[in-house]
Amino acid sequence: MIVAESTVRRARLRDMIADKSVLRGRFELAAGGNSDIFFDMKQTLLLPEGLTLVGSLMLETIMGSDATAVGGLELGACPIVGAIAQASYGGPREIAAFYVRKQPKKTGTKEHIEGYRVGDHKAVYMVEDVSTTGSSVIKSIEAVKRETDCTIAGVLTVVDRQQGAVEALANIGLRLTALFSKDDFA
């Protein structure tokens, strides 16, 4: 029954992304280069249904590990980590959320990693909305490794653009799990 529910939720999320977040044209990518397809994931992730679907689907993967927290680089990962934490509430294991700032904050606590006692967690998952080369999530992984004792259980993404992220993460001993690939929207 859970598998059937997951399949229905995944299909609904795919339809939402195709309808709201897939743009066609000529786009410059943050990872470098150009593409004729762009995934504007905020158009899906900032809707209650889209965010709920992503949170619940990613939580299923996390619950198969010993991770107790999830984080990622600001800004793309912020709504996702919140959705996963919220989806875990009241379940068999609650998952805390954190995010890694691109630059440490210059005021207040001057933190680079923001979240509930990130250092208290032994294993964490890292997330991002769209993976291209893996360079953005690798920056956040490096910060977590440098500033905490956490181990990285794996990396989750909503869409893998299939442009090297899987290989880049494998080179540092991590697996990328994607809800979808670029080919799902061809």
Side-chain angles (χ1 to χ4, degrees), residues 80 150 184:
I80 300 171
C150 300
D184 290 317

Side-chain angles (χ1 to χ4, degrees), residues 95-108:
I95 304 298
F98 67 93
Y99 63 91
V100 179
R101 291 180 178 276
K102 291 177 184 169
Q103 297 293 322
K105 192 174 176 186
K106 295 187 189 293
T107 60

Side-chain angles (χ1 to χ4, degrees), residues 13 21 30 46 52 57 77 100 102 109 120 140-141 144 155 160 163 167 171 184:
L13 179 59
S21 294
L46 296 179
T52 298
L57 289 166
V100 179
K102 291 177 184 169
T109 60
D120 290 351
S140 63
I141 289 165
V144 169
V155 178
D160 176 11
Q163 291 181 266
E167 297 80 6
N171 285 339
D184 290 317

Side-chain angles (χ1 to χ4, degrees), residues 136-166:
S136 293
V137 76
I138 288 172
K139 284 180 191 174
S140 63
I141 289 165
E142 289 169 348
V144 169
K145 286 182 174 181
R146 185 176 54 249
E147 298 180 30
T148 74
D149 291 330
C150 300
T151 60
I152 310 299
V155 178
L156 299 170
T157 189
V158 179
V159 178
D160 176 11
R161 290 185 57 84
Q162 301 170 298
Q163 291 181 266
V166 168

Side-chain angles (χ1 to χ4, degrees), residues 36-116:
D36 60 352
I37 186 170
F38 184 78
F39 294 93
D40 184 3
M41 292 307 300
K42 289 163 194 67
Q43 301 306 311
T44 297
L45 292 173
L46 296 179
L47 291 173
E49 183 183 11
L51 192 56
T52 298
L53 291 168
V54 168
S56 67
L57 289 166
M58 286 190 169
L59 180 62
E60 290 174 8
T61 298
I62 293 166
M63 294 308 283
S65 74
D66 61 351
T68 57
V70 61
L73 191 63
E74 68 171 345
L75 182 68
C78 290
I80 300 171
V81 300
I84 294 167
Q86 185 174 18
S88 74
Y89 178 73
R93 183 173 78 241
E94 292 184 5
I95 304 298
F98 67 93
Y99 63 91
V100 179
R101 291 180 178 276
K102 291 177 184 169
Q103 297 293 322
K105 192 174 176 186
K106 295 187 189 293
T107 60
T109 60
K110 300 183 180 180
E111 295 291 337
H112 191 189
I113 300 173
E114 298 280 359
Y116 183 75

